[in-house]
Amino acid sequence: MLATRANAQKSGANPTDSMVNPLDANAQRISVRRLRADEIDRILELTARHPELSIASEAVIRRVQADNPDSFWGVFRSPDTDSEPPALAGYYAFLLLNKEGDAQLRARSLIRKDPPLQYLAKPGERPVSVYIWVMVVKGLSAVATPIVIRELGKTCAGVPLLASAATPAGLNLMRRQGFRPLTPNDDAIGGLCVFGKFEEVKVERAHRMESRFKVVVARTPEDTSRAFAIRAAVFMSEQNCPYDEEFDGNDQTATHFVGYVDGEPAATLRVRYFADFVKIERLAVLPRFRHTLIAKEVVNAGIDFCRRKGYRRMYGHAQKRLVRFWSRFGFRPMDKNYSLVFSDHEYVEIAGELSPHGDPITIHSDPHVFLRPEGAWDEPGILEKSAERPPTNPH
């Protein structure tokens, strides 16, 4: 049930913090990510501040989150100093309904406070509809909602979005945002309202901001040269890293990403592969683009790429001053606390879990997928076009 206000709170931020929010350069200290099971206590505390909300029990909330982590998204506000982690300021909870669950909801038979798991879509499964279960984002919705919509849209594009209002303010907000009652009797608190299709929920300014950014997988010598030039400018020129330490012999066994701002090469990232994890490294952003959000876009692109490849664990070495930045992508310092010093910096080993992709590449995938260029797995490749020629089986 909806309980929120539409005005976004804004605060000043330094250039590093501008990597957090992909929507608004003036609201750079707000970030959004999936909530972990160990953070449920925090959302219960937030909900307790809103006695007007009638929500599920703690046991039900934990059960739904464990069944599908995409159901819960936290909104975090970063503190003014780097010594403290971002604080949970709000959250979204969704019921991602399968065909039976959607039918139960529309028939008013679904017990929303205790939804049976048999009616909920599983991780990576495309739901039939998305119901906004709880939304506690006072003063943050204008910034946070488009981020959540974009992330959930990866599996929910074209899916109807439904909601019910718990308060008069929530009902008015839903009306302003375009929700419509399913029946005339639903135009009231507790009534069932539908927006339409999931991808139609847009914020024009968000679209405008995101259109500035583009991230590509380096597939040509020109792409790779751009990645190397950015790294040389940042690590060798700014940080005085020797050439042989920066270009360490691992570049030919890695995937490189190049991020563009308004068509100009601005950032790069390198990913290397091991048996059951990926190592994410060599993130570099040119100085004149550090006020933009290209770093976040590049890291997210790299993570999504690894998820599509089927990886479930990521690893990295973070300079001590940047541990908080990497925490925004799910990285946490590892328990073993190995002392790590190289290229004049102290590093911290960090690792994190990757959520399963809805369409991972496996040995059972279409064999043509393995012939296509890296990162272009959903587009027919040049070798598929060659099938137009009859086979001659030359010796």
Side-chain angles (χ1 to χ4, degrees), residues 322-373:
L322 295 176
V323 169
R324 187 169 70 88
F325 167 76
W326 287 105
S327 72
R328 295 161 185 163
F329 303 96
F331 284 95
R332 296 289 182 272
M334 298 183 70
D335 292 337
K336 59 180 181 176
N337 290 321
Y338 188 87
S339 179
L340 194 62
V341 177
F342 59 86
S343 291
D344 309 309
H345 287 280
E346 293 181 279
Y347 288 86
V348 177
E349 285 187 287
I350 55 175
E353 302 297 324
L354 294 172
S355 61
H357 195 279
D359 184 22
I361 297 172
T362 73
I363 198 170
H364 302 292
S365 298
D366 182 335
H368 293 103
V369 169
F370 307 113
L371 301 175
R372 296 168 184 168

Side-chain angles (χ1 to χ4, degrees), residues 63 67 96-102 104 110 115-122 125:
R63 188 176 73 232
D67 186 64
L96 307 177
L97 300 170
N98 57 26
K99 183 177 180 180
E100 294 78 10
D102 177 71
Q104 290 285 322
L110 181 69
L117 296 183
Q118 70 194 64
Y119 294 144
L120 304 182
K122 301 306 176 186
E125 177 186 350

Side-chain angles (χ1 to χ4, degrees), residues 247-267:
F247 297 99
D248 56 356
N250 287 314
D251 286 316
Q252 301 306 316
T253 60
T255 299
H256 303 272
F257 298 84
V258 182
Y260 294 81
V261 177
D262 298 328
E264 185 74 14

